[in-house]
Amino acid sequence: MKAFKGNIVYTKVPQSFEIAEQSYILVDEKGRIECIAKELPDGFDPNNTEDFGNQMIIPGFTDLHLHPNQYPDNGLGYDLELMEWIEQYATPVTELYREEETARKILSKFVEELWRYGILHSVQFGALDYQTNDILFELMIQSGLYCYLGKNHTDYKKDKHDVETTQESMQTALALIQKWEGKSDRVHYIMTPSFAPGCTEEIMKWTGDMARRYHMPLQSHLDENVKEVSMVLKRFTDCRNYAEVYQKNKIFGNDIKTIMAHCIHTTEDEIQALRYSNVFVAHCPHSNCNLGSGIMPVRRYLDSGIRVGIGSDISAGHTLNMMDNMRAAIEMSKILYVEEGKAPLSVSEAFYLATKGGGEFFGGVGSFEPGYLFNALVVDDDALAPLQKHTAADRIERFIYSGDERQIKRRFIEGQEVPRPFFGHKGGRHEDF
Amino acid sequence: MKAFKGNIVYTKVPQSFEIAEQSYILVDEKGRIECIAKELPDGFDPNNTEDFGNQMIIPGFTDLHLHPNQYPDNGLGYDLELMEWIEQYATPVTELYREEETARKILSKFVEELWRYGILHSVQFGALDYQTNDILFELMIQSGLYCYLGKNHTDYKKDKHDVETTQESMQTALALIQKWEGKSDRVHYIMTPSFAPGCTEEIMKWTGDMARRYHMPLQSHLDENVKEVSMVLKRFTDCRNYAEVYQKNKIFGNDIKTIMAHCIHTTEDEIQALRYSNVFVAHCPHSNCNLGSGIMPVRRYLDSGIRVGIGSDISAGHTLNMMDNMRAAIEMSKILYVEEGKAPLSVSEAFYLATKGGGEFFGGVGSFEPGYLFNALVVDDDALAPLQKHTAADRIERFIYSGDERQIKRRFIEGQEVPRPFFGHKGGRHEDF
């Protein structure tokens, strides 16, 4: 048993923070939280205590949706809209990965960035090809971070970015699943049909069958852009809405743990479908702005009991800084407040989405309630201090509004510190450490 | 004559970047730019050359609207709306400044932050009291940065935050003007009536008279919040709109160089008035989101030929990072694009607002055209590099989307490097240097 002492901040429910100043989190041998206490239990060995002083201890972040292979394009091309952006940025970037050494360098840096930003859990939308995903599985397992990662299926012939046949698409996924699924308790495969406009019905059905047969989750995109929606409705004339395409092909929740990214232009029927099918929604506010997609009705989803987490959506989103992504979620919700009178996200709600909300997709992470894993960050917010004393409630708000990765000093998974992954390459942001 | 070499990036017009890779900026003894050239002129003394290698040289930023004394509240209270936020945050914070030593510490830190974020020019909405403004004038002059700063007038009796009579309000301003105006070429006084709901007509008229008599500019707030607007229309029943209150009291542009912050809920008549009166508008996108105020119609203003700059609006806005403020301006404009079809701000337009747009209020800063002052930043964006070569156009976009103060390595004003202001106090963000 270990005890970690500090100013403990987390959310059980979206509506409010749970705050225990100068308290202990007691963690068992398997890294599970026993309880939070003001004092150590009688007879507790003080050598098993780590005291973080005035720092804050918060749950590690979950990034529920991002595209690792787009990482080199981060911060580029945002004068374009979705379809143009895919053509001019998201597609050409895949060329970079042809050479294994380059692919390894870029992906190593990406994995280090996840660590740096305290993204202990991520759901990654993989590349199309075998090699990029293969390297990434290896690096993610090496890092000690949690993730789901899956090969992106884009086999629809009318899509000009198509680079694989349905058969190749299946074979690539099967090879990755065979090699990597079951190799690690922390890194798992997720079936990943790109989105309706990029998939044959055959591949959609197949990803669903695979997910059910091997108890794997599934991720895709839904209702991101109005042009995309009309493209879908034109092709699938038998479906009344976009979600129905996924329902018809049996890849929409229910017996599969499913994430749908974006969900901006959802109809009332689709919202009900998300709810009844128990689908997780990945809210990607920066991406939705950058590509001019629109504002996701996050309050509508929370009110409907739909499970929501935050996605950086790198590189349509421009930052892995989850505080910045929380701020963006709040800001977007405030626009809907002004325009439609919908209650905006509070600071605690945004924090919940980035910790427990997305963490529920993994299960047992993102909170400090008993039984949750101690997957946690230690935050030194002294550099944000304003020369006046503040409560922990003020400090967490300030960290969310003014913070970045510099304040994240330590990272723990299952009660053990996660060292900085280092794969031997130099350059880029590394100098900043 | 001096020459600075690097990758030179600036905007003449909002529509596009001017980019001169690996070129020289030639600067005369007074710090004015002669020209940009690929090669040094014959006979130019190479000892007068500074080579920044692969770094970018960009104009220093202008923050057209911020409240220095609210700086300790930065990142706090954003679950509240404007009027509640003023009561619970903006007003109580003034207590901190009663003790001179504390005031000096906080304000020193604030001035260092301006330097750090490359805000070489700022228009500061001062405190109500003499001492806070007095210290800030001293520190700003010491820093070598450009600014306008004025004592905030809030003398309207029905305003419960009122702490001064009209007479006191005038006397405080007069004392500050007498002591500080004319003391420095870089730091000037600006008449600062708070906003219509907080001012008597007497003080509004008086600030206008003072501005005209002593050739000082003037700043205030306009149309930030719908409740504020209706409060104004209820009190000034003879005015058809908010701007007319300022017009009637002769503090709205024309013969006074004027900034109006926010300008969100402007009517068509007010937009015409802003244009005909030649008023500068300070666009504060983060603040407008944080306080649930709304989205400023920036495209409408640019199309109308109204002059616009960007304001961080600390601490209703949460960051002095001008890249973050540019990103926010673009993101907000993209929401209006989705909702109203208005063309969103491009990356170059946002950069223009933060450099030349706001710089025009000072005159001769914010661009690298001949005759402009070399008030510039040197940006090392290596840490943002993605392991692939990019053009300068890509690099400036990436800096705007992914950058922060860490990449700003050098700051120049009038051709001279500005050293980090250091006022002898420790703590806070200082350790990060």
Side-chain angles (χ1 to χ4, degrees), chain B residues 315-373:
Chain B
S315 73
H318 57 269
T319 183
L320 286 169
N321 179 349
M322 292 305 281
M323 285 69 79
D324 198 339
N325 285 303
M326 285 184 240
R327 301 194 275 269
I330 296 173
E331 291 195 0
M332 293 304 110
S333 76
K334 286 185 173 172
I335 300 300
L336 289 188
Y337 166 66
V338 174
E339 295 178 347
E340 302 174 7
K342 296 258 187 291
L345 285 183
S346 66
V347 175
S348 69
E349 285 177 320
F351 187 83
Y352 179 93
L353 297 184
T355 54
K356 190 172 175 182
E360 282 188 344
F361 190 76
F362 289 82
V365 306
S367 179
F368 292 149
E369 293 156 72
Y372 275 72
L373 288 165

Side-chain angles (χ1 to χ4, degrees), chain A residues 125-165:
Chain A
F125 221 94
L128 262 71
D129 68 302
Y130 178 84
Q131 178 176 280
T132 309
N133 291 303
D134 184 55
I135 295 169
L136 194 49
F137 267 109
E138 177 194 326
L139 296 174
M140 283 306 303
I141 290 175
Q142 210 177 322
S143 76
L145 302 171
Y146 278 48
C147 88
Y148 286 103
L149 166 61
K151 174 244 174 311
N152 175 333
H153 295 280
T154 308
D155 69 328
Y156 184 56
K157 298 297 166 218
K158 291 213 179 67
D159 177 33
K160 57 188 163 182
H161 310 301
D162 161 44
V163 292
E164 55 183 6
T165 65

